[in-house]
Amino acid sequence: SNSLHSPASKHACKQASASITQDRQSHMTPTITIKILFFASAREAAGGITSTNLELDADGADTQVLRTKLASLYPKLAPLVQDEENLTLALNEEYVDVGEVKQLSSGDTVALIPPISGG
């Protein structure tokens, strides 16, 4: 039963796992990286961070997908970010209107802007 621990089988094992990793790399969906800025209550809900970089699948990356992704990453932010009336997105400093879905590209900056309550 010593053959299990022979250097040869160990080597084969290593090679197998290496090739699996490479295989996964080649079939990987291209991703884009965008910067998220958190303001006011959105910042509190995200745990006090002011900004983060987020990777999204390049295929179908838009502001709607982003909202869903942020909701799953930051559960406390979910009620805000999934409610368009409640949280405005600004894409590269331009507001995204309610009901409007914008495509995202790598390098974009998206700001999460909650309603500024007067009180």
Side-chain angles (χ1 to χ4, degrees), residues 11-94:
H11 188 67
C13 232
K14 259 206 180 108
Q15 268 190 325
S17 66
S19 68
I20 290 169
T21 319
Q22 279 169 347
D23 201 47
R24 199 177 285 152
Q25 294 280 322
S26 64
H27 289 119
M28 254 177 67
T29 331
T31 59
I32 60 166
T33 302
I34 56 173
K35 187 171 190 179
I36 311 294
L37 306 175
F38 300 91
F39 291 100
S41 53
R43 181 179 296 176
E44 287 159 38
I49 58 174
T50 52
S51 70
T52 187
N53 287 327
L54 199 62
E55 270 195 25
L56 293 171
D57 288 344
D59 190 29
D62 59 37
T63 49
Q64 197 52 55
V65 168
L66 176 66
R67 282 180 183 268
T68 308
K69 174 101 173 177
L70 285 166
S72 64
L73 284 174
Y74 306 102
K76 282 185 184 158
L77 188 62
L80 259 183
V81 79
Q82 287 183 310
D83 180 0
E84 285 193 44
E85 302 284 339
N86 224 333
L87 184 94
T88 306
L89 296 184
L91 173 59
N92 300 326
E93 299 183 11
E94 284 189 21

Side-chain angles (χ1 to χ4, degrees), residues 90-109:
L91 173 59
N92 300 326
E93 299 183 11
E94 284 189 21
Y95 285 109
V96 179
D97 293 328
V98 173
E100 193 182 1
V101 176
K102 294 215 165 175
Q103 290 299 310
L104 299 171
S105 323
S106 211
D108 281 351
T109 298

